[in-house]
Amino acid sequence: MVIQRLELHRPLCLLPLLKDSAGREFLTAYVVGAECAHQIARWTMPELSEHGWHTTLANGVFGAAAAAAWLLKTDVSTTTNALAIAASLASGIRATFGSQTKAIHAGLSNLHGMMAVELAAAGITGKDNALEASDGYAACFAARLPSEKCTVDLGSRWDLMENGLVFKQYPCCSGTHPALDVWGEWADKVHPKLDDIEAVHLGVSPSRSSRTGQSLPAKCSRSKVFLWNLLWHLVWSTKEPALRNSLTTKC
């Protein structure tokens, strides 16, 4: 989730399988997994997301597999097979946003990544061009042609150094965060009352509108995706008693 092109829930994709590690081992496994996932995400984004795939599972499974392979100290052949198997276990569609299925994508990335390594360690093989083949992962998920080679610069370029860590300020879809931030900054400066607000116009990028634009989520699990509902909660939690009391009285 470093920048929009590489957006994936990196901690959730990696931390559960690292729960039994600590110190240098934990940090190294995290870096290995994060950088591997970003390497592949940089090659396939934003097309992968635009084609309807959820990056947390579709890209994150490779980070989980790489971290697990490092923790288990697998050799080059086993690690190669594990990443190839992970390509077949990559999944997760954006149509699930607003349901509980979306929430388990992060857990599935851990499960599938670890499964890929365990299968490879047990002798299951994969093709070493599973990612870049004409009918491989990048072609299927992001319509990448074999000629569009991915620049492999692991160990020389560090996304964690360039972009750092980004933490979610709100426990909801990141596509809604810019609008929520704008409201917060404006409200802190203006200290509005309900009578001061004639209308509120919200906008999101085209890639987000189909998932965040609905105003009346039918279920609680959908409410953390849809922008209008989230803005209501942000307004309700405002530090301005006059605005909150106005909402209670008039709405």
Short mmCIF file of all heavy atoms in Angstrom, two decimals, residues 89-154:
data_model
loop_
_atom_site.label_atom_id
_atom_site.label_comp_id
_atom_site.label_asym_id
_atom_site.label_seq_id
_atom_site.Cartn_x
_atom_site.Cartn_y
_atom_site.Cartn_z
N LEU A 89 -2.19 -20.00 -7.59
CA LEU A 89 -3.04 -19.78 -6.42
C LEU A 89 -3.47 -18.33 -6.28
O LEU A 89 -4.28 -18.00 -5.41
CB LEU A 89 -2.29 -20.22 -5.15
CG LEU A 89 -1.98 -21.72 -5.05
CD1 LEU A 89 -1.14 -22.00 -3.80
CD2 LEU A 89 -3.26 -22.54 -5.02
N ALA A 90 -2.91 -17.44 -7.11
CA ALA A 90 -3.30 -16.02 -7.07
C ALA A 90 -4.77 -15.90 -7.46
O ALA A 90 -5.25 -16.58 -8.38
CB ALA A 90 -2.42 -15.22 -8.03
N SER A 91 -5.49 -15.03 -6.78
CA SER A 91 -6.92 -14.89 -7.04
C SER A 91 -7.42 -13.63 -6.35
O SER A 91 -6.64 -12.77 -5.96
CB SER A 91 -7.68 -16.13 -6.54
OG SER A 91 -7.41 -16.36 -5.16
N GLY A 92 -8.74 -13.53 -6.19
CA GLY A 92 -9.33 -12.40 -5.47
C GLY A 92 -9.92 -11.36 -6.39
O GLY A 92 -9.19 -10.61 -7.02
N ILE A 93 -11.24 -11.30 -6.49
CA ILE A 93 -11.90 -10.37 -7.39
C ILE A 93 -12.46 -9.17 -6.62
O ILE A 93 -12.91 -9.28 -5.49
CB ILE A 93 -13.02 -11.06 -8.20
CG1 ILE A 93 -14.03 -11.74 -7.27
CG2 ILE A 93 -12.43 -12.06 -9.18
CD1 ILE A 93 -15.22 -12.34 -7.98
N ARG A 94 -12.42 -8.02 -7.28
CA ARG A 94 -12.87 -6.78 -6.64
C ARG A 94 -14.39 -6.73 -6.46
O ARG A 94 -14.89 -5.94 -5.66
CB ARG A 94 -12.41 -5.59 -7.49
CG ARG A 94 -10.92 -5.37 -7.45
CD ARG A 94 -10.48 -4.33 -8.48
NE ARG A 94 -11.13 -3.06 -8.31
CZ ARG A 94 -10.72 -2.09 -7.50
NH1 ARG A 94 -9.62 -2.26 -6.77
NH2 ARG A 94 -11.37 -0.95 -7.42
N ALA A 95 -15.11 -7.60 -7.16
CA ALA A 95 -16.56 -7.63 -7.00
C ALA A 95 -16.96 -8.00 -5.58
O ALA A 95 -18.11 -7.77 -5.18
CB ALA A 95 -17.18 -8.62 -7.99
N THR A 96 -16.05 -8.56 -4.81
CA THR A 96 -16.36 -8.94 -3.43
C THR A 96 -16.29 -7.75 -2.48
O THR A 96 -16.67 -7.89 -1.30
CB THR A 96 -15.38 -10.01 -2.93
OG1 THR A 96 -14.04 -9.47 -2.92
CG2 THR A 96 -15.41 -11.24 -3.80
N PHE A 97 -15.82 -6.59 -2.94
CA PHE A 97 -15.71 -5.44 -2.05
C PHE A 97 -17.07 -5.10 -1.46
O PHE A 97 -18.08 -5.04 -2.17
CB PHE A 97 -15.17 -4.23 -2.82
CG PHE A 97 -13.69 -4.27 -3.08
CD1 PHE A 97 -13.00 -5.46 -3.07
CD2 PHE A 97 -12.99 -3.11 -3.34
CE1 PHE A 97 -11.64 -5.51 -3.31
CE2 PHE A 97 -11.62 -3.14 -3.58
CZ PHE A 97 -10.95 -4.35 -3.57
N GLY A 98 -17.10 -4.90 -0.17
CA GLY A 98 -18.35 -4.64 0.52
C GLY A 98 -18.95 -5.90 1.12
O GLY A 98 -20.01 -5.84 1.73
N SER A 99 -18.23 -7.02 0.98
CA SER A 99 -18.67 -8.27 1.61
C SER A 99 -17.57 -8.78 2.52
O SER A 99 -16.44 -8.31 2.49
CB SER A 99 -18.99 -9.33 0.54
OG SER A 99 -17.79 -9.85 -0.02
N GLN A 100 -17.88 -9.79 3.31
CA GLN A 100 -16.87 -10.36 4.19
C GLN A 100 -15.80 -11.12 3.42
O GLN A 100 -14.69 -11.30 3.92
CB GLN A 100 -17.55 -11.27 5.22
CG GLN A 100 -18.42 -10.51 6.20
CD GLN A 100 -19.13 -11.41 7.19
OE1 GLN A 100 -19.31 -12.58 6.94
NE2 GLN A 100 -19.52 -10.84 8.33
N THR A 101 -16.11 -11.53 2.20
CA THR A 101 -15.11 -12.23 1.39
C THR A 101 -13.91 -11.35 1.12
O THR A 101 -12.77 -11.81 1.14
CB THR A 101 -15.73 -12.71 0.06
OG1 THR A 101 -16.80 -13.61 0.34
CG2 THR A 101 -14.70 -13.42 -0.79
N LYS A 102 -14.16 -10.07 0.87
CA LYS A 102 -13.05 -9.14 0.62
C LYS A 102 -12.10 -9.13 1.80
O LYS A 102 -10.87 -9.10 1.65
CB LYS A 102 -13.60 -7.75 0.35
CG LYS A 102 -12.55 -6.73 -0.12
CD LYS A 102 -12.07 -5.83 1.00
CE LYS A 102 -11.19 -4.72 0.45
NZ LYS A 102 -10.65 -3.86 1.55
N ALA A 103 -12.65 -9.21 3.01
CA ALA A 103 -11.83 -9.13 4.22
C ALA A 103 -10.93 -10.34 4.39
O ALA A 103 -9.88 -10.25 5.05
CB ALA A 103 -12.72 -8.96 5.44
N ILE A 104 -11.31 -11.49 3.83
CA ILE A 104 -10.47 -12.68 4.01
C ILE A 104 -9.40 -12.81 2.94
O ILE A 104 -8.58 -13.73 2.99
CB ILE A 104 -11.31 -13.98 4.07
CG1 ILE A 104 -11.96 -14.28 2.72
CG2 ILE A 104 -12.33 -13.91 5.18
CD1 ILE A 104 -12.63 -15.64 2.68
N HIS A 105 -9.38 -11.90 1.96
CA HIS A 105 -8.35 -11.98 0.92
C HIS A 105 -6.94 -11.91 1.50
O HIS A 105 -6.03 -12.58 1.02
CB HIS A 105 -8.55 -10.87 -0.11
CG HIS A 105 -9.66 -11.14 -1.07
ND1 HIS A 105 -10.07 -10.22 -2.02
CD2 HIS A 105 -10.44 -12.23 -1.25
CE1 HIS A 105 -11.06 -10.74 -2.73
NE2 HIS A 105 -11.30 -11.95 -2.27
N ALA A 106 -6.76 -11.07 2.52
CA ALA A 106 -5.43 -10.96 3.13
C ALA A 106 -5.03 -12.28 3.77
O ALA A 106 -3.88 -12.73 3.64
CB ALA A 106 -5.42 -9.83 4.15
N GLY A 107 -5.97 -12.91 4.48
CA GLY A 107 -5.67 -14.19 5.09
C GLY A 107 -5.39 -15.26 4.06
O GLY A 107 -4.50 -16.11 4.23
N LEU A 108 -6.13 -15.23 2.95
CA LEU A 108 -5.92 -16.21 1.89
C LEU A 108 -4.54 -16.03 1.24
O LEU A 108 -3.94 -17.01 0.80
CB LEU A 108 -7.01 -16.09 0.83
CG LEU A 108 -8.40 -16.60 1.25
CD1 LEU A 108 -9.43 -16.31 0.16
CD2 LEU A 108 -8.35 -18.10 1.55
N SER A 109 -4.05 -14.80 1.17
CA SER A 109 -2.71 -14.60 0.60
C SER A 109 -1.67 -15.30 1.45
O SER A 109 -0.71 -15.90 0.94
CB SER A 109 -2.39 -13.11 0.46
OG SER A 109 -2.18 -12.50 1.73
N ASN A 110 -1.83 -15.25 2.78
CA ASN A 110 -0.94 -15.98 3.68
C ASN A 110 -1.07 -17.49 3.48
O ASN A 110 -0.09 -18.22 3.34
CB ASN A 110 -1.26 -15.65 5.13
CG ASN A 110 -0.74 -14.30 5.56
OD1 ASN A 110 0.33 -14.20 6.15
ND2 ASN A 110 -1.49 -13.25 5.27
N LEU A 111 -2.32 -17.96 3.47
CA LEU A 111 -2.58 -19.39 3.31
C LEU A 111 -2.03 -19.92 2.00
O LEU A 111 -1.33 -20.94 1.97
CB LEU A 111 -4.09 -19.64 3.39
CG LEU A 111 -4.56 -21.07 3.13
CD1 LEU A 111 -4.05 -22.00 4.21
CD2 LEU A 111 -6.10 -21.12 3.05
N HIS A 112 -2.32 -19.22 0.91
CA HIS A 112 -1.88 -19.69 -0.40
C HIS A 112 -0.37 -19.59 -0.55
O HIS A 112 0.26 -20.46 -1.18
CB HIS A 112 -2.57 -18.87 -1.50
CG HIS A 112 -4.03 -19.16 -1.61
ND1 HIS A 112 -4.85 -18.51 -2.52
CD2 HIS A 112 -4.84 -20.02 -0.93
CE1 HIS A 112 -6.09 -18.96 -2.39
NE2 HIS A 112 -6.11 -19.86 -1.43
N GLY A 113 0.22 -18.53 0.00
CA GLY A 113 1.68 -18.40 -0.08
C GLY A 113 2.39 -19.51 0.66
O GLY A 113 3.34 -20.12 0.16
N MET A 114 1.93 -19.80 1.88
CA MET A 114 2.52 -20.89 2.65
C MET A 114 2.27 -22.23 1.99
O MET A 114 3.14 -23.10 1.94
CB MET A 114 1.94 -20.87 4.07
CG MET A 114 2.70 -21.77 5.04
SD MET A 114 4.35 -21.11 5.38
CE MET A 114 5.24 -22.61 5.76
N MET A 115 1.08 -22.42 1.45
CA MET A 115 0.75 -23.66 0.76
C MET A 115 1.67 -23.88 -0.44
O MET A 115 2.14 -25.00 -0.68
CB MET A 115 -0.71 -23.62 0.29
CG MET A 115 -1.19 -24.90 -0.37
SD MET A 115 -2.83 -24.70 -1.13
CE MET A 115 -3.79 -24.17 0.28
N ALA A 116 1.93 -22.81 -1.17
CA ALA A 116 2.81 -22.93 -2.34
C ALA A 116 4.20 -23.41 -1.95
O ALA A 116 4.78 -24.28 -2.62
CB ALA A 116 2.91 -21.57 -3.06
N VAL A 117 4.72 -22.87 -0.86
CA VAL A 117 6.06 -23.28 -0.41
C VAL A 117 6.04 -24.72 0.09
O VAL A 117 6.95 -25.51 -0.21
CB VAL A 117 6.58 -22.33 0.69
CG1 VAL A 117 7.91 -22.80 1.24
CG2 VAL A 117 6.71 -20.91 0.12
N GLU A 118 5.04 -25.09 0.85
CA GLU A 118 4.96 -26.46 1.37
C GLU A 118 4.80 -27.47 0.24
O GLU A 118 5.40 -28.56 0.28
CB GLU A 118 3.81 -26.57 2.36
CG GLU A 118 4.07 -25.80 3.67
CD GLU A 118 2.91 -25.90 4.64
OE1 GLU A 118 1.78 -26.18 4.18
OE2 GLU A 118 3.14 -25.69 5.85
N LEU A 119 4.01 -27.14 -0.78
CA LEU A 119 3.86 -28.04 -1.91
C LEU A 119 5.18 -28.18 -2.67
O LEU A 119 5.58 -29.29 -3.07
CB LEU A 119 2.77 -27.52 -2.85
CG LEU A 119 1.33 -27.64 -2.35
CD1 LEU A 119 0.38 -26.88 -3.28
CD2 LEU A 119 0.92 -29.10 -2.25
N ALA A 120 5.87 -27.05 -2.87
CA ALA A 120 7.16 -27.09 -3.56
C ALA A 120 8.18 -27.91 -2.76
O ALA A 120 8.94 -28.71 -3.32
CB ALA A 120 7.68 -25.68 -3.80
N ALA A 121 8.17 -27.74 -1.44
CA ALA A 121 9.10 -28.49 -0.59
C ALA A 121 8.79 -29.99 -0.62
O ALA A 121 9.68 -30.83 -0.41
CB ALA A 121 9.03 -27.97 0.84
N ALA A 122 7.53 -30.33 -0.89
CA ALA A 122 7.13 -31.73 -0.97
C ALA A 122 7.41 -32.34 -2.33
O ALA A 122 7.16 -33.53 -2.54
CB ALA A 122 5.65 -31.87 -0.64
N GLY A 123 7.92 -31.53 -3.26
CA GLY A 123 8.30 -32.06 -4.57
C GLY A 123 7.41 -31.66 -5.72
O GLY A 123 7.68 -32.04 -6.87
N ILE A 124 6.35 -30.86 -5.47
CA ILE A 124 5.50 -30.40 -6.56
C ILE A 124 6.25 -29.34 -7.36
O ILE A 124 6.83 -28.41 -6.79
CB ILE A 124 4.18 -29.81 -6.03
CG1 ILE A 124 3.44 -30.85 -5.19
CG2 ILE A 124 3.31 -29.32 -7.16
CD1 ILE A 124 3.05 -32.10 -5.94
N THR A 125 6.25 -29.49 -8.67
CA THR A 125 7.01 -28.57 -9.52
C THR A 125 6.09 -27.57 -10.21
O THR A 125 4.87 -27.78 -10.32
CB THR A 125 7.79 -29.34 -10.60
OG1 THR A 125 6.86 -30.06 -11.43
CG2 THR A 125 8.76 -30.31 -9.95
N GLY A 126 6.69 -26.50 -10.69
CA GLY A 126 5.98 -25.50 -11.47
C GLY A 126 6.88 -25.06 -12.61
O GLY A 126 8.08 -25.37 -12.62
N LYS A 127 6.32 -24.33 -13.57
CA LYS A 127 7.13 -23.83 -14.69
C LYS A 127 7.88 -22.58 -14.25
O LYS A 127 7.31 -21.69 -13.62
CB LYS A 127 6.22 -23.50 -15.89
CG LYS A 127 5.51 -24.70 -16.46
CD LYS A 127 6.49 -25.65 -17.13
CE LYS A 127 7.08 -25.06 -18.40
NZ LYS A 127 6.09 -24.89 -19.48
N ASP A 128 9.15 -22.50 -14.64
CA ASP A 128 9.95 -21.35 -14.20
C ASP A 128 9.60 -20.07 -14.95
O ASP A 128 10.12 -19.00 -14.62
CB ASP A 128 11.44 -21.66 -14.30
CG ASP A 128 11.89 -21.99 -15.72
OD1 ASP A 128 11.07 -21.87 -16.65
OD2 ASP A 128 13.05 -22.39 -15.89
N ASN A 129 8.72 -20.17 -15.96
CA ASN A 129 8.25 -18.97 -16.65
C ASN A 129 6.76 -18.75 -16.41
O ASN A 129 6.06 -18.14 -17.22
CB ASN A 129 8.55 -19.04 -18.14
CG ASN A 129 7.74 -20.13 -18.85
OD1 ASN A 129 7.24 -21.07 -18.20
ND2 ASN A 129 7.62 -20.05 -20.16
N ALA A 130 6.27 -19.25 -15.28
CA ALA A 130 4.84 -19.16 -14.99
C ALA A 130 4.35 -17.72 -14.92
O ALA A 130 3.17 -17.46 -15.18
CB ALA A 130 4.52 -19.88 -13.68
N LEU A 131 5.22 -16.81 -14.57
CA LEU A 131 4.80 -15.42 -14.47
C LEU A 131 4.80 -14.71 -15.82
O LEU A 131 3.88 -13.96 -16.13
CB LEU A 131 5.70 -14.65 -13.49
CG LEU A 131 5.30 -14.70 -12.02
CD1 LEU A 131 5.57 -16.09 -11.45
CD2 LEU A 131 6.03 -13.65 -11.22
N GLU A 132 5.81 -14.95 -16.64
CA GLU A 132 5.98 -14.15 -17.85
C GLU A 132 5.59 -14.87 -19.14
O GLU A 132 5.67 -14.28 -20.22
CB GLU A 132 7.43 -13.67 -17.97
CG GLU A 132 8.44 -14.75 -18.25
CD GLU A 132 9.02 -15.37 -16.99
OE1 GLU A 132 8.37 -15.29 -15.93
OE2 GLU A 132 10.14 -15.91 -17.08
N ALA A 133 5.14 -16.12 -19.10
CA ALA A 133 4.77 -16.86 -20.31
C ALA A 133 3.58 -16.20 -21.00
O ALA A 133 2.84 -15.41 -20.40
CB ALA A 133 4.44 -18.31 -19.95
N SER A 134 3.39 -16.53 -22.26
CA SER A 134 2.30 -15.93 -23.03
C SER A 134 0.94 -16.27 -22.44
O SER A 134 -0.04 -15.54 -22.66
CB SER A 134 2.36 -16.40 -24.49
OG SER A 134 2.25 -17.81 -24.57
N ASP A 135 0.85 -17.37 -21.71
CA ASP A 135 -0.38 -17.72 -21.02
C ASP A 135 -0.15 -17.81 -19.52
O ASP A 135 -0.79 -18.57 -18.80
CB ASP A 135 -0.95 -19.05 -21.55
CG ASP A 135 0.09 -20.17 -21.55
OD1 ASP A 135 1.25 -19.91 -21.15
OD2 ASP A 135 -0.25 -21.31 -21.95
N GLY A 136 0.80 -17.00 -19.05
CA GLY A 136 1.17 -17.01 -17.64
C GLY A 136 0.42 -15.98 -16.82
O GLY A 136 -0.55 -15.37 -17.27
N TYR A 137 0.93 -15.77 -15.62
CA TYR A 137 0.27 -14.91 -14.64
C TYR A 137 0.07 -13.49 -15.16
O TYR A 137 -1.04 -12.94 -15.13
CB TYR A 137 1.10 -14.89 -13.36
CG TYR A 137 0.72 -13.81 -12.38
CD1 TYR A 137 -0.34 -13.98 -11.50
CD2 TYR A 137 1.43 -12.62 -12.32
CE1 TYR A 137 -0.69 -13.00 -10.59
CE2 TYR A 137 1.09 -11.62 -11.41
CZ TYR A 137 0.03 -11.82 -10.56
OH TYR A 137 -0.31 -10.83 -9.67
N ALA A 138 1.13 -12.85 -15.63
CA ALA A 138 1.04 -11.44 -16.04
C ALA A 138 0.11 -11.28 -17.25
O ALA A 138 -0.62 -10.29 -17.33
CB ALA A 138 2.43 -10.90 -16.37
N ALA A 139 0.13 -12.25 -18.16
CA ALA A 139 -0.75 -12.17 -19.32
C ALA A 139 -2.21 -12.32 -18.92
O ALA A 139 -3.09 -11.60 -19.40
CB ALA A 139 -0.37 -13.24 -20.34
N CYS A 140 -2.48 -13.25 -18.02
CA CYS A 140 -3.86 -13.51 -17.62
C CYS A 140 -4.42 -12.43 -16.71
O CYS A 140 -5.59 -12.05 -16.83
CB CYS A 140 -3.95 -14.87 -16.92
SG CYS A 140 -3.59 -16.28 -17.99
N PHE A 141 -3.60 -11.92 -15.80
CA PHE A 141 -4.10 -10.97 -14.82
C PHE A 141 -3.98 -9.51 -15.29
O PHE A 141 -4.76 -8.67 -14.84
CB PHE A 141 -3.34 -11.13 -13.49
CG PHE A 141 -3.83 -12.25 -12.64
CD1 PHE A 141 -3.50 -13.56 -12.95
CD2 PHE A 141 -4.62 -12.02 -11.53
CE1 PHE A 141 -3.95 -14.61 -12.17
CE2 PHE A 141 -5.08 -13.06 -10.74
CZ PHE A 141 -4.74 -14.37 -11.06
N ALA A 142 -3.03 -9.22 -16.14
CA ALA A 142 -2.80 -7.82 -16.51
C ALA A 142 -2.58 -7.62 -18.00
O ALA A 142 -2.21 -6.53 -18.42
CB ALA A 142 -1.59 -7.28 -15.75
N ALA A 143 -2.84 -8.67 -18.81
CA ALA A 143 -2.69 -8.59 -20.27
C ALA A 143 -1.29 -8.15 -20.67
O ALA A 143 -1.11 -7.44 -21.67
CB ALA A 143 -3.74 -7.66 -20.87
N ARG A 144 -0.29 -8.57 -19.90
CA ARG A 144 1.10 -8.26 -20.23
C ARG A 144 1.62 -9.27 -21.24
O ARG A 144 1.42 -10.48 -21.09
CB ARG A 144 1.97 -8.32 -18.99
CG ARG A 144 1.72 -7.21 -17.99
CD ARG A 144 2.12 -5.87 -18.54
NE ARG A 144 2.12 -4.83 -17.52
CZ ARG A 144 2.06 -3.54 -17.78
NH1 ARG A 144 1.99 -3.14 -19.03
NH2 ARG A 144 2.06 -2.66 -16.81
N LEU A 145 2.28 -8.80 -22.27
CA LEU A 145 2.86 -9.68 -23.29
C LEU A 145 4.24 -10.16 -22.83
O LEU A 145 4.92 -9.48 -22.06
CB LEU A 145 3.00 -8.93 -24.62
CG LEU A 145 1.69 -8.38 -25.22
CD1 LEU A 145 1.99 -7.56 -26.46
CD2 LEU A 145 0.73 -9.52 -25.54
N PRO A 146 4.66 -11.34 -23.31
CA PRO A 146 5.99 -11.83 -22.94
C PRO A 146 7.10 -10.85 -23.26
O PRO A 146 8.14 -10.82 -22.60
CB PRO A 146 6.11 -13.13 -23.75
CG PRO A 146 4.72 -13.57 -23.97
CD PRO A 146 3.91 -12.31 -24.14
N SER A 147 6.89 -10.04 -24.31
CA SER A 147 7.92 -9.07 -24.70
C SER A 147 8.05 -7.94 -23.69
O SER A 147 9.06 -7.23 -23.66
CB SER A 147 7.59 -8.49 -26.08
OG SER A 147 6.30 -7.87 -26.07
N GLU A 148 7.03 -7.74 -22.87
CA GLU A 148 7.06 -6.68 -21.86
C GLU A 148 7.73 -7.21 -20.60
O GLU A 148 7.10 -7.49 -19.59
CB GLU A 148 5.64 -6.21 -21.55
CG GLU A 148 4.91 -5.63 -22.73
CD GLU A 148 3.49 -5.20 -22.37
OE1 GLU A 148 3.33 -4.11 -21.77
OE2 GLU A 148 2.56 -5.95 -22.67
N LYS A 149 9.02 -7.37 -20.68
CA LYS A 149 9.76 -7.98 -19.58
C LYS A 149 9.74 -7.10 -18.33
O LYS A 149 9.79 -5.88 -18.41
CB LYS A 149 11.22 -8.23 -20.00
CG LYS A 149 11.38 -9.24 -21.14
CD LYS A 149 10.95 -10.63 -20.72
CE LYS A 149 11.22 -11.65 -21.82
NZ LYS A 149 10.78 -13.01 -21.45
N CYS A 150 9.67 -7.76 -17.21
CA CYS A 150 9.73 -7.05 -15.94
C CYS A 150 11.19 -6.79 -15.57
O CYS A 150 12.03 -7.70 -15.68
CB CYS A 150 9.06 -7.89 -14.85
SG CYS A 150 9.20 -7.21 -13.18
N THR A 151 11.48 -5.58 -15.19
CA THR A 151 12.83 -5.26 -14.74
C THR A 151 13.03 -5.83 -13.34
O THR A 151 12.35 -5.43 -12.40
CB THR A 151 13.05 -3.74 -14.71
OG1 THR A 151 12.86 -3.21 -16.03
CG2 THR A 151 14.46 -3.42 -14.23
N VAL A 152 13.92 -6.79 -13.24
CA VAL A 152 14.19 -7.42 -11.95
C VAL A 152 15.33 -6.68 -11.27
O VAL A 152 16.49 -6.76 -11.71
CB VAL A 152 14.54 -8.92 -12.11
CG1 VAL A 152 14.81 -9.54 -10.75
CG2 VAL A 152 13.40 -9.66 -12.81
N ASP A 153 15.02 -5.93 -10.23
CA ASP A 153 16.05 -5.15 -9.55
C ASP A 153 15.99 -5.37 -8.04
O ASP A 153 16.29 -4.48 -7.26
CB ASP A 153 15.93 -3.66 -9.89
CG ASP A 153 14.51 -3.11 -9.70
OD1 ASP A 153 13.67 -3.82 -9.12
OD2 ASP A 153 14.26 -1.98 -10.12
N LEU A 154 15.59 -6.57 -7.64
CA LEU A 154 15.61 -6.91 -6.22
C LEU A 154 17.03 -6.78 -5.68
O LEU A 154 17.99 -7.26 -6.28
CB LEU A 154 15.12 -8.35 -6.01
CG LEU A 154 13.61 -8.59 -6.17
CD1 LEU A 154 13.32 -10.08 -6.19
CD2 LEU A 154 12.84 -7.92 -5.04
#
